[in-house]
Amino acid sequence: MSQVPPDDAPPVHDLIGIGFGPSNVAMAIALREHNARVGRREAVTAHFFEQQPRFGWHRGMLIDDATMQVSFLKDLVTLRNPASRYSFLCYLQSRGRLIDFINHKNLFPLRVEFHDYFEWAAAQVDDLVSYGHEVVGVAPVSRDGVVEHLEVTVRSGGGLEIHRARNLVVGTGLRPLLPEGVERGDRVWHNSELLARVDGLTGTSPQRFVVVGAGQSAAENVAYLHRRFPGAEVCAVFSRYGYSPADDSSFANRIFDPQAVDEYFTAPEDVKRRLMGYHGNTNYSVVDIDLIDDLYRQSYREKVLGTERLRFLNVSRLTGVKETPSAVRCTVQSLVTGEETDLDADVVVLATGYAPADPTGLLGEVADHCLRDDEGRVRVERDYRIVTDPALRCGIYLQGGTEHTHGITSSLLSNTAIRVGEILDSLLGHGPGAGRARTLTDGRGGTAR
């Protein structure tokens, strides 16, 4: 553990953000709006570090006709501050498409358009972020046994830098999840890299693709590859009889409401598990019904015409992958009979989801101050602040990795604007002026004292 730093140490930021995806872009915007409202004396000093060279959000999945699964009103700001100049509607106005979008009568923009919105928003707060900078370690700095700030080690092209912070907000996103025993290779891709890799096939004549998975991304990949390579067979492998439709009905969507986070957080563990069981089909391993219908219609048309390029290997699972320089052999096993079938393909795409990154993975000694529950999961307060022992006075806030405490919206866009407002309120409430009477925006249009 580091001791008290010398007098010439760099200044201490109120907040350092690790990662600069949509959640921390929203955090930066909330800080910018707060600082503009209160003036310099009460401003929150902050900086974010992002290892990518520029903003990017699932670039490998920006298929040209793929749409968002959440309303455009669940952008980076609107649910927290409907008057914000960083909203999706303000973005549309800046691009000269506001009227066209209204005439479109659609709540769900193209994913590539929403990515452009994110880039537009990130560019307006780019003075708060250093791209091409990877946080590689965090160390506590103690005074009389009490940790009041942290040293953050950052690696960039210029070497290592040390920055200091009273609080951290961790928004490092999700990590691709692969089937057990399977590794990515030249011909074995995770769907997160589809568009980055598929251009390498230009000028070739692939004969077969195998797409593994039963969710939205898997179905989108099947449709895209079938359209892009008209001479290739596309085999979809999944353990169900067919793709299951997402439940996006009005009542079910209440699981994404801010109030649902309050209820989930206070619910007993058995109720939490039941709620996830009841409503997992709003988000996990489900597909938009229009896409399901399109795929089935295409499959049936090919059967009629006798030119089947879409194949669905349902009630099956991938049990083996063997890659060679010229092909990849997949072994697919029927869950009913146990019979195994070998398929030779040009590429296997694993649309097998994501897993949350360990939120304490970068914290080093600081992680020893973080408390865990009986199942070894990090304990998190309602304000997304990790519960720590009394020796650590710093706040460590999580944007993701809190599904066990806050529910299904932990890593989703639906609650991002509200979540960053709650984190900001917590920062202000724990700050040097927390003892003074102060009215804070609570992120839901009301106030908290």
Side-chain angles (χ1 to χ4, degrees):
M1 179 181 292
S2 301
Q3 299 302 310
V4 178
D7 292 337
D8 61 351
V12 181
H13 290 290
D14 292 321
L15 179 69
I16 280 181
I18 303 176
F20 205 61
S23 291
N24 271 349
V25 173
M27 188 78 244
I29 292 171
L31 291 166
R32 174 60 51 80
E33 291 182 335
H34 166 78
N35 290 346
R37 187 168 60 248
V38 301
R40 181 173 298 178
R41 289 187 60 187
E42 293 188 60
V44 177
T45 59
H47 201 75
F48 297 80
F49 296 98
E50 169 56 53
Q51 64 179 336
Q52 294 187 101
R54 60 192 176 102
F55 178 86
W57 176 71
H58 296 308
R59 286 185 177 275
M61 298 167 61
L62 298 179
I63 296 172
D64 54 7
D65 63 347
T67 58
M68 297 295 293
Q69 275 74 60
V70 297
S71 165
F72 72 88
L73 293 171
K74 293 184 175 182
D75 58 18
L76 299 176
V77 295
T78 296
L79 296 186
R80 175 181 59 81
N81 176 16
S84 175
R85 67 183 182 91
Y86 300 95
S87 70
F88 181 72
L89 291 179
C90 289
Y91 153 80
L92 288 173
Q93 180 71 8
S94 75
R95 292 290 195 255
R97 293 200 304 269
L98 179 59
I99 299 301
D100 293 333
F101 184 84
I102 292 172
N103 289 339
H104 191 34
K105 299 179 182 179
N106 194 335
L107 289 172
F108 307 102
L110 289 169
R111 196 178 297 155
V112 68
E113 181 177 34
F114 222 64
H115 188 278
D116 190 52
Y117 158 65
F118 287 151
E119 289 186 291
W120 171 86
Q124 296 186 67
V125 290
D126 63 359
D127 57 310
L128 296 178
V129 59
S130 294
Y131 291 106
H133 285 64
E134 179 186 7
V135 174
V136 295
V138 178
V141 179
S142 67
R143 183 190 298 270
D144 299 327
V146 174
V147 180
E148 294 189 343
H149 71 267
L150 305 169
E151 284 191 344
V152 179
T153 303
V154 181
R155 180 168 55 213
S156 68
L160 296 179
E161 307 169 1
I162 301 295
H163 299 264
R164 302 196 301 160
R166 297 183 184 89
N167 301 277
L168 298 179
V169 58
V170 182
T172 50
L174 303 171
R175 300 291 181 265
L177 186 63
L178 303 178
E180 185 176 355
V182 178
E183 297 182 358
R184 284 188 280 188
D186 291 340
R187 296 179 177 274
V188 181
W189 308 342
H190 188 267
N191 69 278
S192 59
E193 55 187 342
L194 175 70
L195 296 186
R197 303 289 295 272
V198 77
D199 285 342
L201 300 177
T202 301
T204 67
S205 300
Q207 298 299 302
R208 177 182 287 151
F209 295 92
V210 173
V211 179
V212 182
Q216 180 72 23
S217 295
E220 288 176 354
N221 287 186
V222 168
Y224 171 77
L225 292 170
H226 184 267
R227 181 176 71 248
R228 169 122 186 218
F229 298 97
E233 180 182 273
V234 181
C235 301
V237 178
F238 45 78
S239 58
R240 303 182 179 194
Y241 269 96
Y243 297 116
S244 297
D247 185 355
D248 61 353
S249 59
S250 301
F251 285 115
N253 274 343
R254 287 180 172 175
I255 193 67
F256 302 110
D257 290 355
Q259 181 181 344
V261 178
D262 293 331
E263 293 166 348
Y264 191 94
F265 185 82
T266 58
E269 283 299 318
D270 64 319
V271 175
K272 283 184 168 72
R273 287 191 291 269
R274 285 160 60 189
L275 287 172
M276 290 299 294
Y278 293 153
H279 296 291
N281 65 345
T282 59
N283 184 63
Y284 298 119
S285 297
V286 289
V287 181
D288 287 345
I289 187 63
D290 289 345
L291 180 54
I292 294 174
D293 289 342
D294 286 345
L295 287 172
Y296 192 90
R297 188 179 301 114
Q298 180 65 36
S299 174
Y300 185 77
R301 181 186 303 120
E302 291 182 357
K303 286 184 178 181
V304 171
L305 298 176
T307 56
E308 294 184 56
R309 291 196 301 115
L310 270 180
R311 291 179 59 193
F312 296 97
L313 283 68
N314 59 357
V315 201
S316 300
R317 65 189 181 102
L318 183 73
T319 57
V321 173
K322 184 177 181 180
E323 186 174 0
T324 68
S326 59
V328 56
R329 172 159 291 187
C330 304
T331 302
V332 178
Q333 182 183 53
S334 167
L335 296 179
V336 177
T337 66
E339 180 183 355
E340 292 188 337
T341 302
D342 288 333
L343 291 174
D344 290 326
D346 295 88
V347 170
V348 176
V349 180
L350 303 170
T352 45
Y354 295 84
D358 179 1
T360 64
L362 291 173
L363 298 184
E365 293 178 49
V366 178
D368 297 335
H369 294 275
C370 299
L371 304 185
R372 296 182 178 270
D373 64 18
D374 293 339
E375 298 183 31
R377 303 170 301 187
V378 67
R379 289 173 55 190
V380 187
E381 299 283 8
R382 175 61 184 83
D383 59 3
Y384 300 94
R385 182 177 172 126
I386 292 179
V387 180
T388 61
D389 62 38
L392 185 69
R393 302 283 178 84
C394 307
I396 303 172
Y397 295 89
L398 300 182
Q399 299 233 57
T402 59
E403 190 173 275
H404 62 292
T405 53
H406 290 69
I408 202 168
T409 62
S410 171
S411 59
L412 304 182
L413 292 174
S414 293
N415 210 41
T416 295
I418 298 291
R419 181 172 61 249
V420 300
E422 292 172 340
I423 292 173
L424 176 57
D425 286 354
S426 179
L427 282 170
L428 299 175
H430 284 86
R436 302 195 305 268
R438 175 183 286 181
T439 300
L440 307 174
T441 301
D442 73 354
R444 290 184 290 272
T447 59
R449 291 190 183 273

